[in-house]
Amino acid sequence: MAKAPAKKPPTKTEIFASISEATGVAKKDVSAVFDTLSDEIAKALSKKGAQAFTIPGLCKIVVQHKPAQPAKKNVPNPFKPGEMMDVAAKPAKNIVKVRALKKLKDMA
């Protein structure tokens, strides 16, 4: 038996068209709203911003700072018992995490 093909997620154009039809706003204006939203998120997540942004009812976007990790010598290799390995140093980095809020969790 052949499996039914999986549904593909909507494209950017399809999303803008759907929102435009549902709200009666021109596609150009919907696109402008999304551009402005992405600019606001970028401002909030920047070093001078609050390092967090919440889209009410959907998700919370947070920047977490991970400190640098020093190099480690002679660490046990988890894949080959009894063998030792060296672990390279890792630089400090900022990680963006997106957490779903209750309303979004209930949608799934």
Side-chain angles (χ1 to χ4, degrees):
M1 293 180 101
K3 289 185 177 180
K7 291 185 178 180
K8 294 181 182 178
T11 63
K12 180 178 168 182
T13 306
E14 292 172 344
I15 293 170
F16 288 174
S18 175
I19 293 172
S20 176
E21 288 175 18
T23 60
V25 178
K27 286 183 196 176
K28 194 180 213 181
D29 295 334
V30 172
S31 176
V33 169
F34 274 88
D35 290 340
T36 305
L37 179 63
S38 65
D39 292 342
E40 288 298 317
I41 292 171
K43 273 195 269 182
L45 298 183
S46 70
K47 289 184 180 186
K48 294 181 182 178
Q51 301 280 304
F53 187 85
T54 302
I55 299 175
L58 292 179
C59 63
K60 184 174 187 175
I61 305 167
V62 180
V63 175
Q64 285 186 339
H65 178 75
K66 295 281 185 176
Q69 296 291 320
K72 297 177 187 175
K73 295 257 185 202
N74 295 327
V75 177
N77 189 338
F79 301 106
K80 297 179 183 175
E83 189 175 309
M84 303 304 263
M85 65 180 206
D86 295 338
V87 177
K90 295 181 184 175
K93 57 188 171 185
N94 289 328
I95 297 174
V96 177
K97 294 202 173 190
V98 180
R99 293 190 325 215
L101 298 178
K102 185 176 181 342
K103 189 174 178 182
L104 182 60
K105 288 179 184 177
D106 291 342
M107 289 181 201

XYZ file of all heavy atoms in Angstrom:
802
model
N 0.837 -1.179 0.000
C 0.000 0.000 0.000
C 0.881 1.241 0.000
O 1.845 1.345 0.753
C -0.880 0.028 1.230
C -1.930 -1.051 1.284
S -2.895 -0.898 2.771
C -4.331 -0.109 2.113
N 0.520 2.189 -0.807
C 1.268 3.442 -0.873
C 0.734 4.408 0.174
O -0.470 4.483 0.425
C 1.140 4.049 -2.263
N 1.654 5.126 0.773
C 1.255 6.116 1.767
C 0.766 7.379 1.063
O 1.217 7.720 -0.028
C 2.439 6.495 2.662
C 2.863 5.417 3.604
C 3.941 5.925 4.523
C 4.349 4.880 5.533
N 5.399 5.366 6.421
N -0.156 8.062 1.698
C -0.640 9.324 1.148
C 0.466 10.354 1.273
O 1.198 10.375 2.262
C -1.878 9.791 1.906
N 0.639 11.210 0.257
C 1.707 12.203 0.342
C 1.467 13.171 1.507
O 0.333 13.541 1.803
C 1.644 12.936 -1.001
C 0.283 12.648 -1.543
C -0.126 11.324 -0.969
N 2.564 13.544 2.160
C 2.464 14.456 3.308
C 2.087 15.854 2.833
O 2.483 16.284 1.756
C 3.799 14.496 4.040
N 1.301 16.531 3.655
C 0.911 17.897 3.309
C 2.109 18.821 3.502
O 2.866 18.686 4.462
C -0.240 18.363 4.189
C -1.535 17.658 3.908
C -2.649 18.254 4.727
C -3.961 17.590 4.415
N -5.065 18.152 5.190
N 2.265 19.765 2.585
C 3.363 20.714 2.670
C 2.904 21.945 3.451
O 1.741 22.344 3.363
C 3.813 21.140 1.270
C 4.428 20.005 0.483
C 4.886 20.478 -0.873
C 5.464 19.324 -1.668
N 5.868 19.750 -3.008
N 3.809 22.556 4.205
C 3.429 23.781 4.919
C 3.191 24.918 3.916
O 3.761 24.921 2.829
C 4.643 24.071 5.808
C 5.775 23.329 5.185
C 5.180 22.158 4.468
N 2.347 25.878 4.283
C 2.055 26.973 3.350
C 3.282 27.850 3.114
O 4.105 28.047 4.008
C 0.948 27.764 4.045
C 1.047 27.391 5.477
C 1.619 26.011 5.531
N 3.380 28.375 1.903
C 4.483 29.267 1.559
C 4.188 30.670 2.079
O 3.074 30.971 2.513
C 4.685 29.337 0.037
O 3.506 29.904 -0.553
C 4.957 27.961 -0.547
N 5.192 31.518 2.011
C 5.046 32.905 2.458
C 3.928 33.599 1.677
O 3.078 34.286 2.253
C 6.384 33.624 2.256
C 6.409 35.062 2.666
C 7.819 35.603 2.449
C 7.882 37.090 2.553
N 9.222 37.631 2.308
N 3.902 33.399 0.368
C 2.877 34.018 -0.479
C 1.486 33.523 -0.101
O 0.535 34.317 -0.047
C 3.162 33.705 -1.958
O 4.495 34.100 -2.269
C 2.201 34.425 -2.869
N 1.360 32.222 0.158
C 0.066 31.670 0.539
C -0.403 32.210 1.884
O -1.587 32.484 2.074
C 0.145 30.138 0.592
C 0.328 29.486 -0.758
C 0.607 28.002 -0.684
O 0.961 27.505 0.410
O 0.481 27.332 -1.720
N 0.529 32.367 2.814
C 0.174 32.921 4.127
C -0.309 34.358 3.984
O -1.342 34.735 4.538
C 1.379 32.849 5.087
C 1.697 31.388 5.415
C 1.108 33.638 6.359
C 3.001 31.198 6.149
N 0.432 35.172 3.216
C 0.041 36.569 3.021
C -1.312 36.657 2.328
O -2.156 37.479 2.695
C 1.094 37.330 2.222
C 2.368 37.618 2.979
C 3.443 38.182 2.333
C 2.506 37.325 4.325
C 4.620 38.460 3.010
C 3.673 37.593 5.010
C 4.735 38.167 4.352
N -1.567 35.804 1.338
C -2.841 35.818 0.620
C -3.989 35.419 1.552
O -5.060 36.032 1.527
C -2.779 34.879 -0.576
N -3.759 34.419 2.383
C -4.790 33.955 3.318
C -5.141 35.040 4.336
O -6.321 35.295 4.604
C -4.295 32.702 4.039
O -5.205 32.301 5.010
N -4.116 35.695 4.894
C -4.361 36.769 5.866
C -5.062 37.934 5.192
O -5.967 38.544 5.756
C -3.035 37.209 6.530
C -2.499 36.077 7.408
C -3.226 38.485 7.348
C -1.118 36.330 7.961
N -4.650 38.228 3.959
C -5.259 39.325 3.206
C -6.745 39.076 2.968
O -7.574 39.973 3.134
C -4.525 39.487 1.872
O -5.137 40.472 1.090
N -7.096 37.844 2.596
C -8.501 37.504 2.362
C -9.316 37.545 3.659
O -10.445 38.031 3.679
C -8.608 36.107 1.753
C -8.165 36.024 0.320
C -8.180 34.594 -0.209
O -8.850 33.734 0.407
O -7.510 34.347 -1.222
N -8.731 37.045 4.740
C -9.458 36.968 6.011
C -9.706 38.346 6.624
O -10.727 38.557 7.279
C -8.693 36.097 7.002
N -8.779 39.278 6.416
C -8.897 40.582 7.056
C -9.363 41.689 6.121
O -9.759 42.757 6.581
C -7.546 41.019 7.659
O -6.577 41.091 6.610
C -7.094 40.061 8.734
N -9.293 41.446 4.818
C -9.682 42.478 3.868
C -8.609 43.546 3.689
O -8.880 44.621 3.166
N -7.396 43.242 4.106
C -6.268 44.169 3.972
C -5.458 43.748 2.754
O -5.344 42.559 2.452
C -5.380 44.124 5.252
C -4.177 45.030 5.122
C -6.197 44.500 6.464
N -4.878 44.708 2.048
C -4.096 44.401 0.856
C -2.864 43.570 1.221
O -2.308 43.704 2.303
C -3.660 45.693 0.173
N -2.445 42.702 0.276
C -1.270 41.849 0.505
C -0.032 42.687 0.796
O 0.815 42.310 1.603
C -0.997 40.971 -0.717
C -1.948 39.838 -0.908
C -1.518 39.005 -2.105
C -2.626 38.097 -2.564
N -2.253 37.351 -3.770
N 0.052 43.812 0.141
C 1.199 44.711 0.333
C 1.258 45.199 1.786
O 2.339 45.264 2.388
C 1.054 45.900 -0.617
C 2.264 46.741 -0.795
C 1.938 47.864 -1.777
C 3.139 48.210 -2.595
N 2.874 49.305 -3.535
N 0.110 45.500 2.355
C 0.051 45.956 3.745
C 0.358 44.820 4.721
O 1.009 45.027 5.742
C -1.322 46.555 4.056
C -1.599 47.815 3.248
O -0.624 48.495 2.855
O -2.792 48.114 3.015
N -0.096 43.618 4.404
C 0.203 42.453 5.245
C 1.712 42.214 5.245
O 2.316 41.959 6.285
C -0.558 41.196 4.750
C -0.104 39.956 5.503
C -2.058 41.391 4.896
N 2.318 42.321 4.077
C 3.769 42.159 3.959
C 4.494 43.222 4.776
O 5.493 42.927 5.448
C 4.179 42.244 2.491
O 5.566 42.175 2.368
N 3.998 44.442 4.759
C 4.613 45.533 5.525
C 4.521 45.265 7.027
O 5.460 45.562 7.770
C 3.942 46.867 5.179
N 3.408 44.695 7.477
C 3.238 44.361 8.895
C 4.270 43.314 9.313
O 4.908 43.436 10.363
C 1.800 43.869 9.182
C 1.707 43.267 10.572
C 0.811 45.013 9.030
N 4.458 42.281 8.496
C 5.441 41.240 8.821
C 6.862 41.796 8.829
O 7.683 41.417 9.664
C 5.318 40.055 7.856
C 4.303 39.046 8.282
C 2.969 39.175 7.911
C 4.656 37.970 9.065
C 2.031 38.250 8.303
C 3.720 37.032 9.477
C 2.403 37.178 9.090
N 7.163 42.695 7.888
C 8.489 43.327 7.860
C 8.722 44.143 9.121
O 9.798 44.099 9.727
C 8.646 44.210 6.621
C 8.729 43.400 5.332
O 9.052 42.189 5.416
O 8.469 43.968 4.254
N 7.704 44.887 9.536
C 7.811 45.700 10.740
C 7.938 44.813 11.981
O 8.725 45.114 12.886
C 6.571 46.612 10.880
O 6.434 47.386 9.690
C 6.703 47.544 12.063
N 7.214 43.711 12.014
C 7.311 42.775 13.135
C 8.725 42.205 13.236
O 9.290 42.132 14.329
C 6.293 41.643 12.983
C 6.296 40.583 14.081
C 5.929 41.188 15.430
C 5.340 39.462 13.733
N 9.308 41.836 12.111
C 10.667 41.293 12.154
C 11.673 42.361 12.588
O 12.631 42.050 13.307
C 11.066 40.688 10.808
O 11.140 41.675 9.818
N 11.452 43.612 12.203
C 12.323 44.703 12.660
C 12.207 44.899 14.169
O 13.209 45.108 14.860
C 11.973 46.015 11.946
C 12.315 45.995 10.463
O 13.121 45.126 10.053
O 11.764 46.835 9.723
N 10.988 44.828 14.707
C 10.770 44.977 16.149
C 11.432 43.831 16.925
O 12.025 44.040 17.985
C 9.275 45.036 16.476
C 8.611 46.328 16.059
C 9.183 47.542 16.768
O 9.412 47.473 17.991
O 9.418 48.556 16.088
N 11.343 42.617 16.388
C 11.993 41.475 17.031
C 13.497 41.673 17.026
O 14.173 41.429 18.033
C 11.594 40.153 16.339
C 10.110 39.853 16.576
C 12.456 38.991 16.833
C 9.562 38.697 15.760
N 14.042 42.126 15.914
C 15.492 42.360 15.817
C 15.938 43.412 16.832
O 16.982 43.248 17.481
C 15.857 42.797 14.402
N 15.150 44.481 16.994
C 15.492 45.518 17.982
C 15.464 44.962 19.399
O 16.338 45.244 20.210
C 14.512 46.698 17.889
C 14.900 47.751 16.889
C 14.100 49.015 17.112
C 12.850 48.983 16.284
N 12.027 50.188 16.404
N 14.459 44.172 19.700
C 14.314 43.630 21.057
C 15.411 42.624 21.386
O 15.866 42.551 22.524
C 12.947 42.989 21.224
N 15.848 41.848 20.411
C 16.856 40.820 20.662
C 18.290 41.332 20.551
O 19.219 40.606 20.879
C 16.662 39.639 19.707
C 15.338 38.898 19.815
C 15.317 37.716 18.860
C 15.058 38.448 21.227
N 18.465 42.573 20.119
C 19.812 43.124 19.986
C 20.451 43.321 21.357
O 19.791 43.228 22.393
C 19.770 44.445 19.232
O 19.165 45.439 20.031
N 21.747 43.597 21.365
C 22.471 43.769 22.628
C 21.924 44.941 23.436
O 21.963 44.929 24.654
C 23.959 43.972 22.357
C 24.620 42.715 21.875
C 26.103 42.888 21.709
C 26.704 41.584 21.209
N 28.142 41.630 21.158
N 21.410 45.959 22.764
C 20.857 47.131 23.463
C 19.397 46.929 23.859
O 18.848 47.696 24.628
C 20.970 48.368 22.579
C 22.399 48.790 22.324
C 22.456 50.026 21.460
C 23.890 50.418 21.181
N 23.986 51.586 20.314
N 18.762 45.884 23.331
C 17.348 45.639 23.600
C 17.146 44.835 24.874
O 18.057 44.605 25.663
N 15.937 44.362 25.050
C 15.553 43.631 26.261
C 15.989 42.165 26.232
O 15.823 41.457 27.211
C 14.036 43.695 26.436
N 16.526 41.683 25.108
C 16.961 40.297 24.940
C 15.792 39.317 24.995
O 15.994 38.123 25.172
C 18.017 39.920 25.993
C 19.275 40.774 25.956
C 20.228 40.352 24.861
O 20.626 39.216 24.821
N 20.570 41.264 23.980
N 14.566 39.815 24.864
C 13.385 38.960 24.843
C 12.268 39.669 24.072
O 12.208 40.893 24.046
C 12.924 38.644 26.252
N 11.410 38.872 23.433
C 10.279 39.421 22.694
C 9.142 38.411 22.783
O 9.356 37.214 22.607
C 10.647 39.651 21.220
C 9.583 40.374 20.436
C 9.520 41.751 20.447
C 8.643 39.674 19.710
C 8.548 42.425 19.731
C 7.666 40.337 18.994
C 7.627 41.715 19.004
N 7.949 38.882 23.076
C 6.787 38.006 23.181
C 5.766 38.379 22.121
O 5.399 39.543 21.988
C 6.139 38.125 24.577
O 7.113 37.788 25.549
C 4.954 37.197 24.713
N 5.332 37.376 21.373
C 4.211 37.557 20.464
C 3.010 37.044 21.258
O 2.909 35.836 21.512
C 4.398 36.766 19.156
C 5.662 37.256 18.437
C 3.175 36.915 18.258
C 6.019 36.473 17.200
N 2.134 37.954 21.719
C 1.071 37.585 22.657
C 0.258 36.372 22.211
O -0.229 36.316 21.089
C 0.199 38.839 22.713
C 1.110 39.955 22.319
C 2.059 39.352 21.316
N 0.170 35.396 23.101
C -0.608 34.206 22.849
C 0.080 33.150 22.008
O -0.418 32.040 21.900
N 1.228 33.462 21.400
C 1.875 32.485 20.532
C 3.210 31.986 21.069
O 3.362 30.812 21.358
C 2.070 33.061 19.121
C 0.791 33.290 18.324
C 1.122 33.883 16.967
C 0.036 31.999 18.157
N 4.180 32.895 21.158
C 5.503 32.430 21.564
C 6.306 33.541 22.231
O 5.981 34.717 22.121
C 6.280 31.890 20.367
S 6.616 33.113 19.105
N 7.356 33.098 22.924
C 8.285 34.009 23.564
C 9.661 33.702 22.993
O 10.088 32.543 22.985
C 8.274 33.811 25.077
C 9.147 34.791 25.811
C 8.968 34.644 27.309
C 9.725 35.764 28.017
N 9.491 35.730 29.455
N 10.342 34.731 22.496
C 11.656 34.583 21.896
C 12.668 35.186 22.865
O 12.527 36.339 23.270
C 11.722 35.294 20.533
C 10.601 34.791 19.627
C 13.083 35.099 19.883
C 10.375 35.615 18.388
N 13.675 34.399 23.259
C 14.639 34.824 24.268
C 16.056 34.556 23.765
O 16.304 33.536 23.121
C 14.413 34.045 25.591
C 15.403 34.464 26.651
C 13.004 34.234 26.086
N 16.981 35.458 24.085
C 18.390 35.261 23.771
C 19.086 34.781 25.036
O 18.953 35.392 26.097
C 19.060 36.571 23.289
C 20.546 36.375 23.081
C 18.408 37.057 22.020
N 19.813 33.658 24.936
C 20.574 33.139 26.065
C 22.055 33.205 25.721
O 22.458 32.831 24.622
C 20.210 31.690 26.374
C 18.894 31.526 27.044
C 18.658 30.085 27.461
O 19.255 29.172 26.940
N 17.762 29.897 28.418
N 22.875 33.673 26.653
C 24.320 33.740 26.448
C 24.962 32.469 26.981
O 24.749 32.100 28.131
C 24.905 34.962 27.159
C 26.388 35.053 27.018
N 26.985 35.442 25.848
C 27.392 34.760 27.877
C 28.299 35.404 26.007
N 28.574 34.993 27.230
N 25.710 31.796 26.131
C 26.455 30.605 26.541
C 27.925 31.001 26.663
O 28.524 31.472 25.702
C 26.325 29.480 25.505
C 24.937 28.937 25.362
C 24.631 27.983 26.476
C 23.270 27.346 26.248
N 22.936 26.365 27.219
N 28.527 30.840 27.843
C 29.926 31.217 28.015
C 30.861 30.281 27.243
O 30.470 29.180 26.845
C 30.152 31.100 29.522
C 29.090 30.181 30.001
C 27.938 30.328 29.059
N 32.107 30.731 27.061
C 33.103 29.932 26.358
C 33.424 28.672 27.157
O 33.418 28.682 28.385
C 34.364 30.755 26.146
N 33.691 27.581 26.450
C 34.066 26.322 27.071
C 35.550 26.068 26.793
O 35.974 26.128 25.642
C 33.243 25.160 26.488
C 31.767 25.261 26.757
C 31.436 25.064 28.225
O 32.011 24.215 28.888
N 30.515 25.858 28.725
N 36.342 25.799 27.821
C 37.763 25.541 27.588
C 37.977 24.170 26.936
O 37.111 23.294 27.004
C 38.362 25.563 28.998
C 37.234 25.171 29.884
C 35.995 25.713 29.222
N 39.152 23.998 26.322
C 39.493 22.707 25.735
C 39.702 21.693 26.855
O 40.127 22.040 27.962
C 40.759 22.846 24.902
N 39.400 20.435 26.568
C 39.565 19.372 27.560
C 40.446 18.286 26.960
O 40.275 17.903 25.805
C 38.203 18.779 27.946
C 37.270 19.760 28.599
C 35.931 19.117 28.875
C 34.943 20.154 29.385
N 33.601 19.598 29.541
N 41.382 17.798 27.735
C 42.293 16.735 27.294
C 41.932 15.431 27.987
O 41.497 15.410 29.130
C 43.735 17.105 27.643
C 44.244 18.319 26.920
C 45.131 17.888 25.818
C 45.746 19.118 25.166
N 46.179 18.822 23.842
N 42.131 14.340 27.281
C 41.949 12.995 27.814
C 40.584 12.770 28.461
O 40.473 12.417 29.627
C 43.071 12.647 28.793
C 44.405 12.590 28.089
O 44.468 12.211 26.922
N 45.455 12.970 28.778
N 39.547 13.003 27.682
C 38.175 12.754 28.112
C 37.777 11.380 27.579
O 38.097 11.044 26.433
C 37.232 13.847 27.547
C 35.798 13.581 27.922
C 37.664 15.210 28.025
N 37.089 10.553 28.353
C 36.673 9.235 27.834
C 35.761 9.377 26.621
O 34.839 10.186 26.611
C 35.912 8.617 29.003
C 36.300 9.395 30.195
C 36.710 10.753 29.736
N 36.044 8.588 25.597
C 35.246 8.598 24.374
C 33.974 7.785 24.621
O 34.046 6.597 24.918
C 36.046 7.990 23.224
C 35.373 8.164 21.887
O 34.170 8.361 21.811
N 36.153 8.091 20.826
N 32.780 8.408 24.490
C 31.543 7.672 24.775
C 31.229 6.589 23.742
O 30.472 5.669 24.012
C 30.470 8.754 24.784
C 31.028 9.849 23.963
C 32.520 9.793 24.133
N 31.832 6.684 22.551
C 31.535 5.724 21.493
C 32.510 4.548 21.468
O 32.214 3.505 20.908
C 31.529 6.429 20.130
C 30.513 7.529 20.059
C 30.895 8.856 20.087
C 29.161 7.242 19.994
C 29.965 9.869 20.037
C 28.212 8.244 19.943
C 28.614 9.562 19.967
N 33.702 4.739 22.028
C 34.713 3.677 22.063
C 35.217 3.550 23.496
O 36.142 4.254 23.899
C 35.868 4.010 21.123
C 35.465 4.095 19.665
C 36.633 4.447 18.797
C 36.203 4.595 17.346
N 37.320 5.067 16.512
N 34.605 2.695 24.299
C 35.003 2.556 25.705
C 36.496 2.235 25.844
O 37.060 1.479 25.072
C 34.150 1.395 26.211
C 33.001 1.334 25.262
C 33.518 1.805 23.940
N 37.112 2.870 26.814
C 38.525 2.647 27.074
C 39.436 3.561 26.284
O 40.624 3.646 26.568
N 38.914 4.250 25.281
C 39.737 5.151 24.470
C 39.529 6.580 24.946
O 38.422 6.973 25.298
C 39.339 5.020 22.998
C 40.263 5.732 22.041
C 39.882 5.464 20.593
O 39.716 4.289 20.216
O 39.751 6.450 19.854
N 40.593 7.364 24.933
C 40.514 8.760 25.362
C 40.501 9.675 24.140
O 40.978 9.292 23.070
C 41.700 9.109 26.256
C 41.804 8.205 27.489
S 40.322 8.208 28.468
C 40.744 9.394 29.682
N 39.963 10.872 24.313
C 39.907 11.831 23.202
C 40.091 13.234 23.736
O 39.987 13.484 24.936
C 38.577 11.725 22.462
C 37.369 12.101 23.266
S 35.888 11.920 22.290
C 34.839 13.090 23.105
N 40.387 14.166 22.830
C 40.510 15.577 23.179
C 39.277 16.311 22.664
O 38.793 16.033 21.571
C 41.766 16.182 22.550
C 43.041 15.572 23.110
O 42.987 15.026 24.229
O 44.077 15.644 22.429
N 38.781 17.257 23.464
C 37.620 18.057 23.079
C 38.105 19.477 22.824
O 38.792 20.063 23.669
C 36.539 18.049 24.190
C 35.375 18.926 23.816
C 36.070 16.631 24.455
N 37.781 20.029 21.659
C 38.211 21.371 21.294
C 37.480 22.426 22.118
O 36.371 22.193 22.612
C 37.958 21.614 19.811
N 38.110 23.599 22.253
C 37.487 24.718 22.962
C 36.326 25.259 22.130
O 36.345 25.195 20.903
C 38.511 25.809 23.206
N 35.317 25.787 22.807
C 34.169 26.380 22.124
C 34.073 27.844 22.526
O 34.139 28.165 23.716
C 32.879 25.652 22.507
C 32.831 24.218 22.046
C 31.537 23.559 22.439
C 31.540 22.099 22.052
N 30.343 21.410 22.538
N 33.895 28.746 21.555
C 33.793 30.168 21.893
C 32.444 30.504 22.525
O 31.482 29.742 22.411
C 33.942 30.865 20.542
C 33.441 29.857 19.557
C 33.830 28.512 20.120
N 32.385 31.652 23.182
C 31.118 32.124 23.754
C 30.162 32.438 22.611
O 30.580 32.839 21.526
C 31.353 33.362 24.599
N 28.862 32.239 22.851
C 27.880 32.501 21.804
C 26.530 32.832 22.409
O 26.259 32.530 23.563
C 27.757 31.299 20.871
C 27.380 30.010 21.573
C 27.457 28.839 20.628
C 27.294 27.539 21.403
N 27.483 26.383 20.575
N 25.716 33.489 21.600
C 24.346 33.792 21.987
C 23.431 32.841 21.233
O 23.564 32.655 20.031
C 23.982 35.233 21.654
C 24.687 36.200 22.561
O 24.949 35.901 23.710
N 25.026 37.362 22.049
N 22.479 32.255 21.944
C 21.546 31.304 21.355
C 20.138 31.886 21.455
O 19.746 32.399 22.502
C 21.614 29.957 22.101
C 22.998 29.353 21.942
C 20.552 29.004 21.593
C 23.206 28.099 22.752
N 19.391 31.797 20.355
C 18.009 32.263 20.342
C 17.108 31.066 20.596
O 17.191 30.056 19.909
C 17.656 32.923 18.994
C 16.188 33.329 18.965
C 18.547 34.121 18.739
N 16.248 31.176 21.598
C 15.300 30.114 21.920
C 13.884 30.651 21.757
O 13.592 31.773 22.151
C 15.506 29.618 23.346
C 16.844 28.935 23.527
C 16.809 28.028 24.696
C 18.107 27.236 24.730
N 18.061 26.178 25.694
N 13.020 29.822 21.181
C 11.616 30.183 20.990
C 10.785 29.193 21.797
O 10.876 27.988 21.593
C 11.218 30.128 19.500
C 9.755 30.498 19.335
C 12.110 31.042 18.678
N 10.012 29.724 22.732
C 9.160 28.890 23.578
C 7.702 29.120 23.212
O 7.248 30.265 23.140
C 9.365 29.224 25.057
C 10.735 28.842 25.554
C 10.818 28.945 27.051
N 10.029 30.057 27.565
C 10.381 30.792 28.603
N 11.490 30.545 29.235
N 9.612 31.777 29.014
N 6.990 28.043 23.017
C 5.563 28.141 22.713
C 4.795 28.474 23.981
O 5.070 27.940 25.052
C 5.068 26.827 22.133
N 3.830 29.381 23.859
C 2.960 29.713 24.989
C 1.724 28.798 24.966
O 1.496 28.046 24.025
C 2.562 31.187 24.922
C 3.729 32.177 25.014
C 3.220 33.604 24.895
C 4.496 32.004 26.310
N 0.929 28.866 26.015
C -0.193 27.938 26.207
C -1.169 27.919 25.026
O -1.586 26.862 24.583
C -0.948 28.296 27.491
C -2.057 27.311 27.825
C -2.702 27.639 29.127
C -3.784 26.720 29.566
N -4.415 25.845 28.653
N -1.503 29.088 24.504
C -2.466 29.147 23.407
C -1.950 28.394 22.184
O -2.698 27.676 21.517
C -2.757 30.603 23.072
C -3.892 30.811 22.112
C -4.187 32.291 21.957
C -5.284 32.557 20.970
N -5.535 33.976 20.781
N -0.657 28.522 21.886
C -0.066 27.821 20.749
C -0.007 26.324 21.021
O -0.268 25.507 20.128
C 1.338 28.359 20.455
C 2.065 27.760 19.273
C 1.282 27.997 17.982
C 3.460 28.339 19.143
N 0.292 25.935 22.234
C 0.328 24.510 22.591
C -1.060 23.885 22.442
O -1.186 22.735 22.021
C 0.826 24.331 24.018
C 2.299 24.617 24.179
C 2.697 24.446 25.634
C 4.141 24.830 25.850
N 4.528 24.739 27.282
N -2.088 24.644 22.798
C -3.454 24.130 22.691
C -3.894 23.968 21.232
O -4.798 23.189 20.945
C -4.428 25.038 23.434
C -4.227 24.985 24.945
O -3.588 24.028 25.423
O -4.714 25.908 25.632
N -3.279 24.723 20.313
C -3.630 24.626 18.898
C -3.177 23.296 18.298
O -3.785 22.797 17.355
C -2.982 25.768 18.100
C -3.565 27.108 18.337
S -2.685 28.290 17.302
C -3.042 29.800 18.160
N -2.083 22.740 18.819
C -1.513 21.511 18.256
C -2.268 20.280 18.691
O -2.914 20.205 19.665
C -0.043 21.397 18.644
